[in-house]
Amino acid sequence: MLMSGKADAKKEETAKSPSSYEIEESVLSIIDSHSEEKSPLLPILQDVQKAFGFISPQAMLEMSETLDIPLSQVYSAVTFYNEFRTKKRGKHLFRVCIGTACCIKKADAVILELEKELGIQCGQTDGKGLFTLETVNCFGACGLGPIVEVDGRIFSLVEPKKAKALAEEVKKKEGLQK
Amino acid sequence: MISIRVGLGSCGISSGALEVYNGLKKAGQDISLSKAGCMGACFLEPLAEMKVDNFETLIFANVSQDDCRRIIEIGKSLEKKKERGAQLVYAKRRDGELVFKNVKYIDDTEFFNEQVKNVSAKCGIVDPESIEDYKRNGGFSALKKALAMKPEEIVSEVKKSGLRGRGGSGFPTGVKWEAVLSSPEKEHYLICNFDEGDPGAFMNRALVESDPFEVIEGIEIAAYALGVSQAFIYTRSEYTLAVERLKNAIAETEKSNLLGENILGTDFSLKISLRLGAGAFVCGEETALISSIEGRSGRPFPKPPYPAEKGLWGMPTVINNVETLANIPAIILNGADWFRGFGTGPSPGTKMFSLSGDVKNSGYIELPFGSTLSQVAGIAGLKKDNFKAVQLGGPSGGLVSKAHVKMPLDYESIEGAEAIVGSGGIVFIGKKRAVIDVVRYGLRFIVSESCGRCVPCREGTMRIYEIIERIAAGNGTSDDLLNLYVLSNTIKSTSLCGLGETAPNLVLSSIRNFFEEYEERIPLWKGKAPNLISFQIDAAKCNGCHLCATICPKKAISGKRLETHEINQDMCIRCGLCAKECPFSAIEEHLAEKDQKLKIERKGKE
C-alpha cells in the first residue's frame, strides 16, 4: 500500500512541488515545534497536512525516524482518521454534510447537483486539480440543513438550486464560466 | 446609549450574521456593538439584541443586511422616547422599562417557555471572547469557592448531586471521580471529551462556542478536586469556531492568573492543553480517545482496566463530557440540593438537546430530565402528532414512534424504548419520509466509522447494512428480517465497545416500532407478513396479576385476575411493553418462523 502511495505521489509531483530537501526541513521544524508535548504524532500530522495539503510518504518516513515510532504506526494513523489525505486535494474544496438531519433534508440531491455541475464524482478531484467534492459526517449545524462547505465557508439551507449557484460562483472565479 | 449584540455562533455565521455585524458597524458609528454566542434558536438566525438606555432589550430575528439601518433607527427613536417600527421587533426581554406593549416576551414564545436554562444560562448573553464579560456575569466565583474547599468535599458534593455523564452513558460522575481519587497513583489526568461526532447533535458545539469560560471553570474545579495538574480538551477539528474560542479562552484565563501556576495564590497549578481529533466518530469512546491522544489510531481497548484505574499513559484518568463539566460550577455554587431540584430522582438536573429534521423550530434546548417527548415536539413547533418518528441519540440511538410521546426523557425510560439519551440529539422525521431510509443513513455512518478492531462490529454492521439496502430497494426476502434480527442482537451482545453495542439500535427499534414499513417492502409478503416475533405467556410463570392487560396499548391481552392470561396474536402489534413490564418475567419473545427462541437481553433487567 505504501509503495503504491509513493508512486501516486510521484505522479502528482509537478514543477511547483517542494523538493525532498524542503519537505525534510519543514517536517523537521514542525516536529521541533511540538517537542514539549507528550505523544505529539497527531498534532504533527495535522500541521504537516496544513502545510502541504496532504501527507506524503516521505513526510511519514521523516516522522517515523525522528520520533522513533514504527512507520506502520504512522501509516496506520494517517489512514485511520478521515481528515488525513495521502493525495493532494483540488484547489477548491466542496464538502456536503451527510448527517441524518441533512439527509432528511435531501442532501443526496445536493450531491447529485454538485456532481453534475463540477463534472466529477463524489470523492474525486477533477483532472486539472481545481475541484474536490467530498462528503462529511456532520458539521453540527443540523438545525439549518442541508449544509455545504465551500473552501472553509459554511452555507446553510442549501437546496440544489443554491448548490448550483455556489458551484457556478467558484467556476467563475476560475474563469470557467462567463 | 444604544448597545447591540449579534449572535455569532456557527449557525448564525452560516446564515449571514457576520454580514449583519459588519452592516451594523457601518450603519451606526455611535453605537456599542458586541458579539455573543448562540441562545439556541437556529431558526431565528441571524439574531440581534438591542438595549437602549433603561428600556427592555429588543430582539430582532432573521435579520438581513438591509435591516441594519432600520434597527438603528428604531434605537434612535427609542432614545427620544418614541416607539417606532414595532413590526420589526421579534420579541423582548423583561429587563427594564416597558416598551412596545404589543411585542411578546421571548420567554413566552413556544420555543423558550418550557425551557430551563442552567448550563446554557449565559449562552447568547455573554461575549464568548471576553473574560471580563464572563466575570461580570458571575464567572469564576465557583472556582474561588471551590479552592477554599477540600478536594474530598467537592467530590462528595458532586456525588450527592447525582450528576450523571452527559456524553451518553449516564454514569454517575461522582463515582468516577471517587475511583480516581482513591487510587494509589499520584499522577492523574483529566480529559474533557468534546468529540461530539454523532450526526444530529450540536449542543456541545453551541455551548463551547457561546460560553467557553464556563467549560474552563468546570475543568479547573474538577482538576483541583482530583489532584490533576495536566488536563486535556479533546475536540473535533471540524468545529473550527469552537476551537478558536477555546484557545482564546485558555489564553485569557491564563493571563488573569486564573489558570497556570499557583492559581489565585494557592498551591493549585493546572495546564489545559487542546487536542484536536482528526475525524473519527469512535474517538468519542473513552478508550479510543485515550489511544488517539497517545498518538495512535483511535481504536478502543477492552475494559477493565477502566480509565479510572489505568488510562492515559497508564495513569488514572477521568474522562468527562464537556456538558458534564459545565454543570460543575453551578453545583459548587448552589449546592447539590439545588441541582436535585431539577429533573427526576435517578436522573437529576437538566440536559441540553439539539432539535433538527422536519421541525418548524430548530436549535438547541435545555430541559429538566423527565420532560416528555410531546413537550419537545411542542418546542419544535410541531402539532401534537405531525411527525412519524423521532430519532433519539443519533445513529447509535433508536427510532421511536408517536406511541412514545408521553415518554419522559430520562436515562431509564429512553433505554426502555430501545433508544439512548446519547449526547442528546433529537431528529424529527416527518410523515412523508421512509423510516427505513433513516435507518440506512445511520448504518452507512456506523459502517464507515467502525474502527475495525472487533469482528462483530466490523463485519456485522456491514452485513446488516447490506440487508437494509436490499429491503429498502424492495428486494428483501422473508429470511432477511430474521437474519437482521438475529445478527443485530449478536452484534449488540458481543462487540468490544459502545459503538458496536449500540450500532444495531436503529435496526432493532425500527423493527419494533415501525414493523409495517418493513412489511411493505418485502415483496413476497404483500401485507400478510408472518409474524416475525411473537410474544407468548408462559403459563407456569404467569400469576394473573393483570398488569400486562392493563398496559397493552392494543388491549390484545385478556384473562381473569389470578388466572393465566393470553395474548391475541392477531391484535398484538409486538411492541414488547408487556414482556418488559411483567414482574414475573412470564412473557417471552419468540421467533415465530423457524421456531427459534430468542431471549432478548435487556439492560437493567436480570
Side-chain angles (χ1 to χ4, degrees), chain B residues 6-318:
Chain B
V6 182
L8 288 171
S10 290
C11 291
I13 290 174
S14 72
S15 315
L18 265 180
E19 284 79 359
V20 170
Y21 184 82
N22 293 331
L24 284 168
K25 212 180 208 173
K26 237 188 255 166
Q29 263 88 26
D30 48 347
I31 57 164
S32 126
L33 194 59
S34 63
K35 295 173 184 175
C38 152
M39 60 183 198
C42 287
F43 65 106
L44 297 179
E45 297 287 359
L47 267 168
E49 292 193 20
M50 180 167 71
K51 175 96 180 154
V52 181
D53 300 332
N54 289 323
F55 297 110
E56 288 173 325
T57 303
L58 304 176
I59 299 171
F60 301 88
N62 301 118
V63 183
S64 73
Q65 249 175 306
D66 309 333
D67 299 332
C68 296
R69 195 166 290 277
R70 297 204 50 199
I71 289 175
I72 290 172
E73 271 166 24
I74 292 174
K76 284 191 174 149
S77 78
L78 205 55
E79 272 183 328
K80 292 173 194 145
K81 314 232 161 165
K82 282 177 193 158
E83 298 177 17
R84 274 190 201 137
Q87 69 282 1
L88 261 181
V89 184
Y90 175 77
K92 53 186 185 177
R93 285 186 196 279
R94 290 186 176 86
D95 58 354
E97 210 178 302
L98 179 79
V99 278
F100 291 114
K101 254 184 212 151
N102 295 329
V103 173
K104 57 188 183 277
Y105 287 103
I106 188 96
D107 308 333
D108 297 337
T109 56
E110 64 179 358
F111 191 75
F112 288 99
N113 63 0
E114 302 220 18
Q115 290 197 51
V116 179
K117 294 206 167 225
N118 287 348
V119 181
S120 60
K122 291 193 278 290
C123 295
I125 309 276
V126 294
D127 182 344
E129 291 170 6
S130 151
I131 192 167
E132 292 309 321
D133 206 21
Y134 180 68
K135 279 190 198 160
R136 261 199 298 279
N137 284 281
F140 290 109
S141 45
L143 177 67
K144 278 175 200 149
K145 188 178 173 190
L147 289 179
M149 292 164 79
K150 279 192 193 126
E152 296 80 20
E153 284 171 352
I154 298 176
V155 174
S156 87
E157 194 68 20
V158 170
K159 198 180 171 194
K160 221 170 85 191
S161 75
L163 174 67
R164 297 173 70 170
R166 299 297 196 244
S169 65
F171 193 80
T173 307
V175 176
K176 227 183 210 178
W177 286 17
E178 246 179 9
V180 167
L181 205 61
S182 62
S183 107
E185 302 275 0
K186 282 267 160 63
E187 204 180 349
H188 303 160
Y189 289 109
L190 172 70
I191 302 173
C192 167
N193 187 349
F194 178 35
D195 192 46
E196 182 183 51
D198 39 337
F202 53 89
M203 59 271 133
N204 290 353
R205 172 189 61 75
L207 173 66
V208 172
E209 279 176 4
S210 310
D211 198 1
F213 292 102
E214 188 179 44
V215 176
I216 303 280
E217 191 178 357
I219 293 174
E220 288 195 57
I221 296 170
Y224 170 70
L226 297 166
V228 168
S229 56
Q230 168 74 67
F232 290 93
I233 303 177
Y234 188 89
T235 157
R236 286 184 83 198
S237 58
E238 287 92 334
Y239 286 177
T240 39
L241 184 65
V243 171
E244 254 170 56
R245 295 217 164 130
L246 272 178
K247 274 187 188 158
N248 172 66
I250 292 173
E252 290 280 307
T253 320
E254 275 173 352
K255 250 189 247 161
S256 317
N257 187 28
L258 286 159
L259 185 65
E261 299 290 320
N262 300 97
I263 295 166
L264 290 169
T266 61
D267 290 342
F268 172 54
S269 302
L270 176 69
K271 189 173 179 239
I272 300 180
S273 307
L274 209 57
R275 281 294 176 103
L276 265 61
F281 173 61
V282 70
C283 287
E285 203 276 339
E286 294 188 325
T287 57
L289 195 157
I290 289 176
S291 305
S292 178
I293 294 189
E294 288 177 353
R296 283 177 275 125
S297 320
R299 292 202 174 86
F301 46 83
K303 294 188 269 193
Y306 288 92
E309 306 154 44
K310 217 171 168 237
L312 190 60
W313 296 304
M315 292 299 162
T317 305
V318 165

Side-chain angles (χ1 to χ4, degrees), chain A residues 3-121:
Chain A
M3 293 316 289
S4 72
K6 219 171 198 170
D8 283 345
K10 254 185 201 158
K11 235 182 268 167
E12 280 173 23
E13 260 179 36
T14 54
K16 271 187 189 170
S17 296
S19 72
S20 73
Y21 177 72
E22 279 166 342
I23 293 176
E24 193 186 324
E25 280 288 283
S26 63
V27 170
L28 284 181
S29 76
I30 287 170
I31 293 174
D32 241 18
S33 68
H34 290 279
S35 59
E36 278 182 21
E37 287 166 49
K38 214 170 167 182
S39 319
L41 181 61
L42 244 58
I44 290 173
L45 285 172
Q46 274 155 347
D47 284 355
V48 169
Q49 168 140 313
K50 215 182 259 168
F52 297 103
F54 72 112
I55 295 163
S56 63
Q58 194 202 340
M60 287 187 233
L61 268 167
E62 218 64 71
M63 282 178 238
S64 151
E65 276 167 19
T66 321
L67 296 168
D68 198 19
I69 298 173
L71 183 58
S72 60
Q73 193 184 322
V74 180
Y75 185 70
S76 146
V78 171
T79 47
F80 179 83
Y81 294 100
N82 291 332
E83 192 186 302
F84 299 133
R85 328 258 120 214
T86 49
K87 284 182 185 172
K88 208 165 187 168
R89 274 177 177 153
K91 194 170 156 196
H92 300 284
L93 176 62
F94 289 77
R95 297 205 288 177
V96 184
C97 178
I98 51 160
T100 319
C102 287
C103 279
I104 286 180
K105 298 276 185 185
K106 303 252 153 72
D108 291 355
V110 174
I111 295 176
L112 283 177
E113 186 67 32
L114 284 176
E115 282 180 345
K116 204 173 83 192
E117 279 302 310
L118 302 173
I120 45 174
Q121 292 286 305

Side-chain angles (χ1 to χ4, degrees), chain A residues 80, chain B residues 198 280-288 298 300 303 395-397 420 442-443 445-454 456-458 461 464 491-492 495-505:
Chain A
F80 179 83
Chain B
D198 39 337
F281 173 61
V282 70
C283 287
E285 203 276 339
E286 294 188 325
T287 57
K303 294 188 269 193
S396 325
I420 56 168
L443 278 177
F445 174 75
I446 296 276
V447 167
S448 74
E449 292 301 320
S450 171
C451 81
R453 168 155 277 179
C454 70
C457 179
R458 185 183 63 225
T461 54
I464 53 177
I491 297 170
K492 209 172 166 171
S495 288
L496 176 64
C497 80
L499 188 136
E501 282 165 19
T502 54
N505 277 351

